[in-house]
DNA sequence: TTGTTGCATTGACAATTATCAAAGAGGTGC
DNA sequence: GCACCTCTTTGATAATTGTCAATGCAACAA
């Protein structure tokens, strides 16, 4: 089998963590966005508590019955799809405030795996109950739709990346995306720790790990970033951005 | 500017077509799936009529305010994303019974273009009203969520294709996908007319049009399909499928 | 018919990325 | 500290796909 994340087979999750949207500093990034205090209280009621996951453990696996979606409270996840013939595609990396598990709604079964890339915590949001509550709270319903729609738009961005960009462009886009998301969470946009391996980055970007590694090295040689294993410092964000708008074949 | 679809600038749509889900032979494929007669009647009420589009005309464009989603009644569409720097990625091809426009929910603005690749008809589904109705009809709400979730899962499949497959595998997957969808609509799974150009196929598959053309020719040489311009006949579906499960690096 | 236009095919060659292989770095447990 | 393990880096070479260019084909209009 592929050098997949870890050797554990059972999704070792620890129940019983007390959580409340109304107390959560991620609420503006997450599902309760825009709710009144009153409605937020009703959402608190519904959240099925939290779960802690150790690094390498699965939040869910392809084939698991779908019951809940999850909000990342802390930590870092990847989702990937594994086909019968051994193909493995990382479909995303999720960090605090982001929602996981919406792939399972359509089939009632999860269609990808979600793995913690570091020790993490999630909130469990039972989906049937979320639907019930969202038919009473219009803003919750609408926000759920927005979250799903944004996931579709994000996927389109990945298709664009995979379909039209070259290796270095893909990596630049990836770094800038991480930078922006860390920044939105109050962390440095210029300096961060990668939670995933070169192979996982490569899988996400449709490249082999060696190609990812070489692109990192090239960026470093050109003074765009500084890399030390998983530690990244972006030295020149503007110039990194120009890598994405290449030959300047502009129109108007 | 790129050899984009057509020279029209205004989305020339013709309003006033009378439609009713309850009378529609696509209802089992489309949004009203699973509704009672009674609820279907309420959905009929909400559908904002139909629109006809001539080939080459836009159903919506990136930047248009989002108001409705659309169900394809007949015809064939493509959606694509165009970036400032001139990249163009086809994100999907849609046929009868499929839903268009969900990309716009999250931002209240459409994020891609939808173009008719042949003369087509769509049903217009005002989204705010759909949300209102779906908070009253649980099965409608749930089905909407399923439709959105399946779009996410479909996108994951495209990522897998773009991230892990080689040119011929991508084209085989593409043909088999079309075949299956035509089949589900009562058309021949083995013989059909492509509505899109080689360039559009290439954009969808992350390949150049020449590569697509060469792959078609190779398939024909090997007796898998017969190609004459846009007319395709799949001669050997099983063997085409084996192209997707390649080196047989199976596990168990 | 003939010319025009857009799309498709094919060939020769170049660029990009993958593959294979070896060595280096860093962390963990003993 | 030392051994082990995983991950990363780098080089040499091969495979795949892109690029450029020419020709072919089909539909359509004059």
């Amino acid at each position: 089998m592929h050098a997949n994340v870890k050797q554990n087979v059972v999704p070792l999750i620890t129940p019983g963590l007390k959580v409340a949207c109304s107390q959560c500093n991620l609420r503006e990034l997450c599902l309760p966005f825009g709710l009144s205090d009153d409605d937020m209280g009703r959402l608190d009621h519904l959240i099925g508590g939290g779960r802690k996951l150790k690094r390498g453990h699965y939040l869910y696996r392809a084939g698991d019955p779908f019951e809940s979606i999850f909000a990342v409270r802390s930590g870092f996840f990847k989702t990937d799809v594994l086909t019968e013939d051994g193909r493995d595609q990382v479909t995303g990396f999720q960090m605090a405030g982001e929602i996981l598990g919406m792939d399972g709604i359509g089939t009632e079964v999860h269609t990808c795996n979600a793995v913690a890339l570091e020790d993490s915590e999630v909130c469990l949001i039972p989906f049937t109950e979320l639907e019930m509550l969202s038919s009473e709270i219009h803003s919750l319903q609408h926000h759920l739709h927005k979250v799903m729609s944004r996931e579709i738009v994000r996927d389109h961005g990945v298709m664009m990346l995979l379909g039209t960009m070259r290796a270095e462009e893909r990596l630049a886009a990836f770094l800038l995306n991480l930078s922006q998301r860390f920044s939105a969470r109050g962390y440095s946009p210029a300096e961060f720790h990668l939670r995933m391996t070169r192979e996982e980055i490569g899988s996400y970007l449709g490249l082999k790990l060696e190609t990812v590694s070489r692109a990192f090295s090239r960026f470093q040689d050109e003074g765009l970033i500084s890399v030390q294993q998983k530690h990244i410092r972006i030295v020149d964000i503007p110039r990194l951005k120009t890598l994405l708008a290449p030959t300047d074949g502009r129109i108007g």
Side-chain angles (χ1 to χ4, degrees), chain A:
Chain A
M1 181 160 295
H2 292 248
N4 258 339
V5 171
K6 282 291 126 126
Q7 58 283 5
N8 52 76
V9 179
V10 181
L12 240 175
I13 52 180
T14 319
L17 198 73
K18 195 77 183 164
V19 292
C21 294
S22 50
Q23 305 301 315
C24 179
N25 58 3
L26 291 166
R27 62 183 180 277
E28 292 305 306
L29 279 170
C30 192
L31 201 61
F33 176 83
L35 294 193
S36 69
D37 289 354
D38 192 35
D39 290 338
M40 192 115 43
R42 300 174 73 187
L43 184 57
D44 281 349
H45 249 291
L46 173 158
I47 303 283
R51 298 284 184 278
K52 292 192 181 208
L53 285 96
K54 289 254 167 239
R55 169 163 175 251
H57 288 165
Y58 282 77
L59 177 58
Y60 57 82
R61 289 167 185 267
D64 287 354
F66 170 77
E67 278 157 9
S68 299
I69 59 176
F70 305 90
V72 181
R73 245 176 106 68
S74 68
F76 208 91
F77 288 82
K78 75 164 180 183
T79 47
D80 65 355
V81 183
L82 200 54
T83 59
E84 312 112 32
D85 54 302
R87 291 178 209 280
D88 185 3
Q89 173 73 30
V90 171
T91 54
F93 297 106
Q94 294 80 19
M95 55 178 80
E98 296 177 338
I99 304 292
L100 274 160
M102 296 179 293
D103 57 278
I105 302 168
T107 51
E108 322 237 333
V109 153
H110 284 289
T111 60
C112 62
N113 306 297
V115 188
L117 295 183
E118 62 182 18
D119 294 359
S120 303
E121 293 174 68
V122 299
C123 303
L124 204 149
I125 308 166
F127 194 71
T128 302
E129 294 161 46
L130 178 62
E131 281 186 334
M132 280 163 49
L133 188 60
S134 77
S135 64
E136 291 175 28
I137 305 176
H138 175 258
S139 63
L140 178 61
Q141 179 196 39
H142 189 56
H143 192 61
L144 172 62
H145 295 160
K146 285 191 166 197
V147 168
M148 294 187 75
S149 171
R150 288 201 201 109
E151 180 70 18
I152 292 170
V153 172
R154 186 194 72 84
D155 291 347
H156 290 175
V158 177
M159 285 183 212
M160 167 75 71
L161 180 147
L162 292 169
T164 74
M165 294 186 185
R166 310 229 247 91
E168 294 192 2
E169 296 170 337
R170 295 184 198 186
L171 190 63
F174 173 72
L175 290 174
L176 289 168
N177 174 270
L178 282 183
S179 166
Q180 181 266 312
R181 285 156 71 200
F182 281 126
S183 177
R185 284 159 184 77
Y187 300 106
S188 167
E191 202 158 0
F192 44 84
H193 198 80
L194 296 175
R195 274 73 171 180
M196 69 297 280
T197 66
R198 301 290 189 264
E199 185 173 24
E200 287 162 336
I201 296 172
S203 171
Y204 183 59
L205 300 179
L207 301 168
K208 293 297 166 184
L209 67 96
E210 294 95 331
T211 306
V212 173
S213 178
R214 278 185 242 272
F216 271 127
S217 300
R218 183 97 65 100
F219 285 174
Q220 179 160 249
D221 291 349
E222 290 173 3
L224 290 167
I225 67 175
S226 122
V227 197
Q228 246 163 335
Q229 304 289 123
K230 292 198 156 68
H231 184 86
I232 300 285
R233 191 164 53 85
I234 306 184
V235 176
D236 194 341
I237 293 191
R239 203 145 59 85
L240 201 56
K241 282 183 179 159
T242 65
L243 287 187
L244 291 183
T247 35
D248 207 312
R250 214 58 56 81
I251 308 150

